[in-house]
Amino acid sequence: MALTIGIIGLPQSGKTTLFNALTKAGAPIGGYATSTVQANVAIIQVPDARLQPLAEIFHPKKVTPTTVKFVDVAGMGQATQSAKEKHEGLSAEFLGHIRNAEALAIVLRTFANSNVPHVYDTIDPMRDLESLNAELTLTDLASVEQRIERTKKDAKSGDKKFLQELETLRKMQEVLNELKLASQASLESQEQGIMKDLFLLTMKPRMYVLNVSEDILGEANNVLEQIARGETVGTLEGELKGIAGIAQHARNEGAEIVAVSARLEAELAELPEADAQEYLESLGLPKLGADRVIQVGYRLLNLITFLTAGEDEVRAWTVTKGAKAPEAAGKIHSDIERGFIRAEVTRFEDFMACGSFAAASKKGLQRLEGKDYVIQDGDIAHFRFNVGR
Ligand SMILES: Nc1nc2c(ncn2[C@@H]2O[C@H](COP(=O)(O)OP(=O)(O)OP(=O)(O)O)[C@@H](O)[C@H]2O)c(=O)[nH]1
Ligand SMILES: [Mg+2]
């Protein structure tokens, strides 16, 4: 089952344009559905530069990348003042789509375009982010307060479990009341467990997707890189100033950030790949931002990729970071997990340097790992198993 990244942002920030660019860059499987509450859903292939070189060696019948699911949901920035005052937060329909997402991609508009009016008239990504955060935290606050009422009743019996839960909820209520993100609350692991089934929106890992004007995309990327390295960027004006502000904020928060021109990406996705590549290079850009959005999104989900390679299929598989060999085997087939004996593991780089499993084995670069081995990103694995009774 593919994990989900929810694309959210103010109206007209470019969410759907980005979604369309993603579905083309990542070749959606089975197309996407538009439901009545304006959510576009697509399962998107994660670009992985290791698949092609492996395919050139094995000439497999099939090459299969891993996938993530993106959901594009309209409906933020529309909460009325009275709804905000009543702590009602976001609509149930919106929440239905976003609650179960494992991570959020927050689209912030920095491009100016007089044909596309901004809900607040002017371009100011930090103001937009604050407004989105307020809406998200108020929604979380409503969830927490609802739970407090329920837990209060349960705690009347004096049961320690409920009293502890109540305490944790009140701590979270305080954080959210200050319009801070739930992820900023310092919780112990037991408390985190309590919060988990509330599916708070501001607890989810997030990435910021800046939707910038296409003519400053190159400069925007430079600014992001400089800030990510912790360098000072000097005095910036206009759009770049707004971009730098969000980049600094993301760095402080430990959030990921990517700059794209959603419209350019969506247009390029219509072109043959070679033409698109040429055009990108003429702009001084190494590759499509859509690919980066997919890859960063994948990373946010705390996932790593291991590979299997043979003449039938070269394939990338997803496991959660920290997964052990039998669990990885179980992604392929439950029998392989059940009858797990050992994993033969070769690092992708070692394999490519040797050119074959036999050569890697000769050099001692193919290891036999047992059931406690923690799978690493880029491991090429072959599982030995036995399910005979
Ligand atoms: N100039 C420019 N226009 C863009 C860009 N991205 C999107 N637009 C335009 O902005 C408008 C809104 O884009 P959408 O992708 O529909 O925005 P949205 O966030 O999905 O909007 P809602 O679904 O209404 O919330 C469209 O007319 C797009 O063509 C961009 O990078 N540059
Ligand atoms: Mg839309």
Side-chain angles (χ1 to χ4, degrees):
M1 194 197 64
L3 296 174
T4 305
I5 299 166
I7 304 175
I8 60 172
L10 288 180
Q12 302 291 291
S13 51
K15 298 180 295 294
T16 302
T17 312
L18 173 71
F19 176 85
N20 289 337
L22 294 177
T23 57
K24 284 171 195 141
I29 298 167
Y32 54 86
T34 308
S35 77
T36 48
V37 276
Q38 292 193 330
N40 301 309
V41 182
I43 299 202
I44 292 175
Q45 300 185 343
V46 180
D48 190 324
R50 296 169 292 207
L51 292 174
Q52 188 55 33
L54 286 176
E56 279 164 20
I57 291 174
F58 288 97
H59 304 287
K61 295 189 195 102
K62 230 165 79 180
V63 176
T64 313
T66 63
T67 54
V68 285
K69 191 155 128 189
F70 278 88
V71 185
D72 155 34
V73 207
M76 285 199 69
Q78 285 153 357
T80 60
Q81 197 52 38
S82 85
K84 280 188 186 179
E85 278 160 14
K86 280 192 261 162
H87 283 195
E88 277 171 357
L90 288 152
S91 77
E93 283 159 314
F94 177 88
L95 290 174
H97 284 290
I98 222 70
R99 270 274 180 252
N100 295 317
E102 277 81 14
L104 299 177
I106 299 179
V107 178
L108 295 169
R109 167 179 174 177
T110 68
F111 72 86
N113 179 349
S114 52
N115 295 324
V116 183
H118 191 292
V119 271
Y120 302 136
D121 293 327
T122 54
I123 303 295
D124 181 348
M126 190 56 86
R127 171 206 56 204
D128 294 353
L129 176 58
E130 279 164 8
S131 154
L132 292 167
N133 277 342
E135 227 169 332
L136 296 169
T137 43
L138 288 176
T139 304
D140 283 350
L141 189 58
S143 311
V144 169
E145 286 175 346
Q146 241 173 38
R147 179 63 74 94
I148 285 179
E149 287 314 307
R150 220 175 76 194
T151 309
K152 260 192 202 160
K153 287 187 198 134
D154 294 333
K156 277 195 185 130
S157 64
D159 186 330
K160 260 210 171 120
K161 177 174 152 257
F162 292 118
L163 288 170
Q164 148 102 58
E165 183 174 320
L166 201 54
E167 197 180 312
T168 306
L169 288 165
R170 290 219 164 101
K171 198 156 138 186
M172 189 53 91
Q173 182 185 28
E174 213 169 286
V175 169
L176 293 166
N177 248 326
E178 290 170 26
L179 289 187
K180 284 194 204 143
L181 308 183
S183 58
Q184 287 165 353
S186 50
L187 299 180
E188 283 156 29
S189 70
Q190 193 194 357
E191 295 181 302
Q192 273 164 11
I194 293 172
M195 297 314 299
K196 213 167 182 177
D197 55 327
L198 281 175
F199 295 98
L200 296 182
L201 304 171
T202 61
M203 194 70 116
K204 299 182 194 296
R206 44 168 65 190
M207 70 190 287
Y208 298 114
V209 181
L210 293 170
N211 191 8
V212 311
S213 304
E214 84 178 63
D215 54 338
I216 63 144
L217 196 47
E219 284 169 275
N221 276 317
N222 289 341
V223 168
L224 293 194
E225 277 167 26
Q226 276 174 296
I227 291 177
R229 287 196 300 263
E231 295 168 16
T232 45
V233 286
T235 324
L236 296 170
E237 292 299 328
E239 189 171 347
L240 283 171
K241 188 175 169 188
I243 289 167
I246 300 291
Q248 196 58 57
H249 182 83
R251 184 175 152 82
N252 298 344
E253 210 176 80
E256 301 270 2
I257 184 163
V258 177
V260 299
S261 164
R263 198 175 60 175
L264 170 72
E265 302 263 339
E267 283 167 7
L268 285 184
E270 303 277 354
L271 296 179
E273 210 178 306
D275 295 357
Q277 197 58 40
E278 195 177 316
Y279 186 70
L280 273 180
E281 276 161 25
S282 77
L283 294 174
L285 300 168
K287 62 178 189 172
L288 278 174
D291 284 359
R292 295 234 14 247
V293 172
I294 299 170
Q295 282 165 334
V296 171
Y298 188 70
R299 205 159 64 217
L300 275 187
L301 297 171
N302 204 24
L303 300 175
I304 57 169
T305 300
F306 73 94
L307 305 148
T308 51
E311 271 135 39
D312 272 340
E313 190 179 26
V314 163
R315 181 160 180 169
W317 303 84
T318 295
V319 280
T320 309
K321 228 181 254 175
K324 293 188 177 162
E327 186 187 333
K331 298 283 169 188
I332 302 174
H333 199 289
S334 55
D335 280 351
I336 311 182
E337 178 169 5
R338 203 155 48 87
F340 178 89
I341 302 170
R342 288 219 181 300
E344 289 169 15
V345 179
T346 315
R347 303 260 335 126
F348 168 78
E349 291 77 15
D350 291 341
F351 177 84
M352 290 311 295
C354 297
S356 73
F357 286 125
S361 168
K362 235 185 204 163
K363 286 197 173 161
L365 293 171
Q366 190 172 45
R367 302 172 326 247
L368 272 183
E369 302 284 4
K371 63 177 174 26
D372 288 328
Y373 174 70
V374 176
I375 291 283
Q376 304 293 312
D377 190 71
D379 278 348
I380 306 176
H382 178 79
F383 298 102
R384 293 189 195 165
F385 68 106
N386 178 5
V387 283
R389 292 165 179 253

